[in-house]
């Protein structure tokens, strides 16, 4: 019984660590759990931090358009999108994700190695906490510097842009920014360097959506 209580206290303490650390990520260059896990396994990790203000402004707009159209409005969880996913699943529709950018930051920073079911339980309250303690701009800045954006351990916008286009993320055109956004679900199978028809089509969609994101993003900078 004593051993069980000790283990329970250890688990609770570990679960609380992200809540303690998140406020400290208002500054600095955090490394994600996924990046750390890859490094421990000896896999390559390439990341050069870039402040969001230095990036091409087309990139954050394209990423929000692609990954989380309601990013500026929700508080970590897009409950409307989640309800749509549940309704589609109940009607036998195609299963799709509804993770917000904030949820992906929570997962990538702290929860990546944890099994999916347990991770999802931990991810929801943590995403809401991150939204509470960090600004929208900072959440997006972190995401753009820890997202996997290449097939060989390229993490973050700068490494992704260098691999795909041989240029800095500060110099991306609107089309190039949209191509990077289009590979975010799976940068191993999708390529911005040699985009498939699907990636090109998605990039065009995200370029069009990005115009609608402009005002929302300007209000939350």
């Amino acid at each position: 019984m004593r051993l069980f209580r000790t283990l329970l206290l250890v688990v609770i303490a570990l679960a609380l660590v992200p809540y303690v650390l998140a406020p400290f990520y208002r500054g600095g260059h955090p490394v994600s759990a996924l990046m750390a896990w890859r490094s421990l396994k000896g896999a390559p990790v390439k990341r050069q931090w870039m402040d969001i203000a230095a990036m091409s402004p087309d990139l954050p707009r394209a990423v929000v358009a692609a990954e989380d159209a309601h990013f500026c409005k929700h508080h970590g969880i897009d409950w409307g999108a989640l309800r749509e996913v549940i309704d589609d699943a109940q009607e036998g529709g195609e299963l799709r994700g509804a993770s917000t950018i904030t949820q992906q930051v929570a997962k990538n920073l702290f929860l990546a190695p944890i099994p999916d079911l347990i991770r999802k339980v931990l991810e929801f309250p943590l995403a809401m906490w991150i939204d509470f303690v960090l600004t929208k701009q900072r959440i997006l800045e972190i995401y753009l510097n820890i997202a996997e954006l290449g097939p060989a351990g390229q993490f973050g916008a700068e490494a992704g842009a260098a691999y795909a286009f041989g240029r800095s993320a500060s110099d991306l055109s609107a089309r190039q920014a949209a191509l990077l956004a289009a590979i975010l679900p799976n940068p191993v199978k999708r390529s911005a360097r040699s985009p498939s028809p699907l990636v090109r089509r998605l990039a065009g969609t995200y370029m069009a959506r990005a115009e609608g994101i402009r005002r929302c993003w300007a209000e939350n900078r």
Side-chain angles (χ1 to χ4, degrees):
M1 191 65 178
R2 181 179 297 176
L3 177 60
F4 175 77
R5 286 199 298 267
T6 301
L7 289 174
L8 182 60
L9 287 173
V10 169
V11 169
I12 292 172
L14 290 174
L16 291 176
V17 166
Y19 292 86
V20 175
L21 291 179
F24 291 98
Y25 288 161
R26 293 185 181 113
H29 301 164
V31 172
S32 72
L34 180 58
M35 294 164 65
W37 184 247
R38 283 181 62 94
S39 294
L40 287 173
K41 294 192 299 181
V45 174
K46 304 171 186 176
R47 197 278 293 270
Q48 180 180 345
W49 183 276
M50 174 175 278
D51 292 345
I52 196 169
M55 297 178 190
S56 163
D58 290 306
L59 184 58
R61 288 197 290 264
V63 168
V64 171
E67 295 287 282
D68 188 359
H70 299 137
F71 174 69
C72 298
K73 300 176 182 177
H74 63 64
H75 297 289
I77 307 295
D78 189 343
W79 298 108
L82 189 60
R83 281 193 296 271
E84 289 178 6
V85 168
I86 294 172
D87 290 344
D88 288 347
Q90 290 175 340
E91 293 173 5
E94 183 180 352
L95 188 64
R96 55 190 175 89
S99 291
T100 64
I101 285 174
T102 315
Q103 285 177 262
Q104 293 180 62
V105 167
K107 178 187 74 173
N108 291 342
L109 275 182
F110 302 112
L111 307 174
I114 299 174
D116 287 351
L117 184 59
I118 300 173
R119 192 193 71 231
K120 278 296 181 184
V121 173
L122 299 174
E123 186 180 291
F124 274 62
L126 182 55
M128 290 187 285
W129 174 247
I130 289 172
D131 184 84
F132 179 72
V133 299
L134 301 180
T135 66
K136 292 289 187 182
Q137 178 169 335
R138 180 59 176 170
I139 292 168
L140 187 54
E141 180 174 67
I142 292 173
Y143 180 67
L144 289 168
N145 278 283
I146 64 174
E148 194 171 4
L149 279 168
Q154 289 86 7
F155 287 85
E158 184 70 350
Y163 174 80
F165 309 115
R167 61 170 58 189
S168 170
S170 63
D171 299 324
L172 293 176
S173 67
R175 178 68 175 175
Q176 290 168 334
L179 286 170
L180 276 183
I183 70 167
L184 275 169
N186 194 330
V188 175
K189 292 186 177 180
R190 295 184 184 183
S191 173
R193 176 189 278 187
S194 302
S196 65
L198 171 64
V199 170
R200 291 196 296 269
R201 185 166 63 252
L202 288 173
T205 299
Y206 299 150
M207 286 178 68
R209 287 184 188 171
E211 288 304 309
I213 300 295
R214 187 186 300 269
R215 179 185 299 176
C216 177
W217 176 238
E219 293 171 353
N220 284 274
R221 288 182 67 84

